[in-house]
């Protein structure tokens, strides 16, 4: 059974972790397959990505069977995680995570790497790393404090509580919370809506937000001016203005 499956629905690439018997825990083969699936998102026909898990959970994190007995070379293994996280963050297209059941450890980090998250009401999130005496990885020390602040991030990482979906939403970790059976439906609708939008602009927004985390105000203002020049030269901007003047919905081509 393939550890990752994918399909294209319209302009949305849907990628699913496919180890339901292990709650989609991540191992070397799964990470390699996920990286290959994400490469397909670079195709011009793809304008949004949906990331989900098969079975009862989104992702339970690292498959600890692989780390049993201290045989795992963490530094080499994390290169696989890092590749996936960078693919998601550097992708100039929106990524939606449909999170149900549980997202723990690296599974939670994978969800945080996405641009938007839809959670089920019964979903539980936990950072998990400190529970097994490890530091957070897979980009969690980047994404988490930028979402919940330093104090909130330290609490979630050090104490590793089980967060309900409602608590996650209060922290800003969830964009939508819906009934568990509606998670995939809601996430698909959100991804489809994004796929009809100005795709190139979404990529510029992602870039601007990521860069703003390390830049000062003057540098941010300069970056915004540079990106706005690029946006203003695009066909979608011309279409957006025309649609506004003609009082009709815009028909964006993603350019």
């Amino acid at each position: 059974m393939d550890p990752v499956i994918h399909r294209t629905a319209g302009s949305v690439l849907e990628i699913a972790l496919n180890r339901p018997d292990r709650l989609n825990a991540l191992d070397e083969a799964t990470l390699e397959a996920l990286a290959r699936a994400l490469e397909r998102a670079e195709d011009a026909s793809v304008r949004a990505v949906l990331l989900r898990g098969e079975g009862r959970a989104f992702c339970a994190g690292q498959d600890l069977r692989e780390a049993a007995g201290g045989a795992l070379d963490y530094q080499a293994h994390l290169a696989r995680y890092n590749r996936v996280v960078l693919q998601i963050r550097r992708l100039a297209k929106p990524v939606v995570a449909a999170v149900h059941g549980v997202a723990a450890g690296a599974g939670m980090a994978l969800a945080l790497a996405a641009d938007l998250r839809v959670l089920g009401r019964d979903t539980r999130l936990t950072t998990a790393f400190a529970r097994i005496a490890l530091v957070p990885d897979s980009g969690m020390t980047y994404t988490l404090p930028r979402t919940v602040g330093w104090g909130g991030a330290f609490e979630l990482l050090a104490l590793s509580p089980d967060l309900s979906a409602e608590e996650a939403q209060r922290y800003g970790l969830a964009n939508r919370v819906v009934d568990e059976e509606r998670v995939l439906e809601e996430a698909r609708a959100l991804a489809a809506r994004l796929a009809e939008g100005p795709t190139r602009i979404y990529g510029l927004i992602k870039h601007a937000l990521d860069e703003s985390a390390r830049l000062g105000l003057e540098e941010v203002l300069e970056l915004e001016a540079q990106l706005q020049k690029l946006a203003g030269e695009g066909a979608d901007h011309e279409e957006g203005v025309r649609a506004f003047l003609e009082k009709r919905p815009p028909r964006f081509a993603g350019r």
Side-chain angles (χ1 to χ4, degrees), residues 7-252:
R7 71 182 187 108
T8 302
S11 299
V12 177
L13 174 64
E14 186 171 311
I15 301 174
L17 302 173
N18 189 36
R19 300 184 72 207
D21 58 319
R22 298 294 299 167
L23 298 182
N24 297 316
L26 301 166
D27 60 6
E28 179 179 340
T30 305
L31 290 166
E32 289 295 330
L34 181 55
R36 289 195 300 272
L38 285 166
E39 288 174 357
R40 295 177 176 270
E42 298 291 348
D43 190 281
S45 64
V46 174
R47 294 175 62 184
V49 175
L50 174 62
L51 185 61
R52 65 179 183 87
E54 286 285 321
R56 297 181 293 116
F58 175 71
C59 179
Q62 168 65 35
D63 190 337
L64 293 180
R65 294 182 303 179
E66 207 173 41
L72 190 64
D73 181 341
Y74 278 102
Q75 195 161 8
H77 187 55
L78 284 178
R80 300 183 182 92
Y81 280 102
N82 296 348
R83 175 186 175 188
V84 166
V85 170
L86 287 172
Q87 282 178 290
I88 294 172
R89 292 308 317 146
R90 290 175 176 171
L91 181 66
K93 301 168 186 180
V95 179
V96 178
V99 186
H100 75 291
V102 66
M108 180 175 170
L110 188 61
L112 289 177
D115 302 300
L116 296 170
R117 285 160 293 282
V118 178
L119 269 62
R121 293 192 201 284
D122 300 328
T123 300
R124 312 294 292 187
L125 302 183
T126 181
T127 59
F129 292 99
R131 295 184 182 184
I132 54 172
L134 287 177
V135 298
D137 57 40
S138 308
M140 191 177 279
T141 58
Y142 178 92
T143 55
L144 193 59
R146 284 164 175 77
T147 306
V148 306
W150 195 98
F154 186 85
E155 180 179 9
L156 295 180
L157 292 171
L159 302 182
S160 195
D162 286 323
L163 293 178
S164 69
E166 286 74 16
E167 289 170 326
Q169 191 169 40
R170 286 198 294 271
Y171 270 108
L173 298 170
N175 298 94
R176 308 275 195 283
V177 174
V178 298
D179 292 339
E180 204 77 9
E181 63 272 14
R182 290 192 54 240
V183 170
L184 188 52
E185 173 191 350
E186 183 76 13
R188 281 173 171 162
L190 185 56
R193 177 180 174 183
L194 289 166
E196 294 179 352
T199 311
R200 180 167 171 266
I201 300 306
Y202 294 151
L204 296 179
I205 290 171
K206 287 181 67 166
H207 177 65
L209 290 175
D210 279 346
E211 287 294 290
S212 72
R214 67 176 186 84
L215 299 177
L217 176 58
E218 290 185 3
E219 294 168 309
V220 165
L221 293 171
E222 176 59 29
L223 177 62
E224 288 175 347
Q226 294 171 5
L227 297 181
Q228 199 69 291
K229 180 178 185 297
L230 293 175
E233 294 170 348
D236 278 345
H237 171 61
E238 183 179 343
E239 164 61 12
V241 172
R242 186 185 302 114
F244 176 81
L245 295 175
E246 295 174 0
K247 295 180 171 51
R248 60 170 175 83
R251 295 183 290 271
F252 292 124

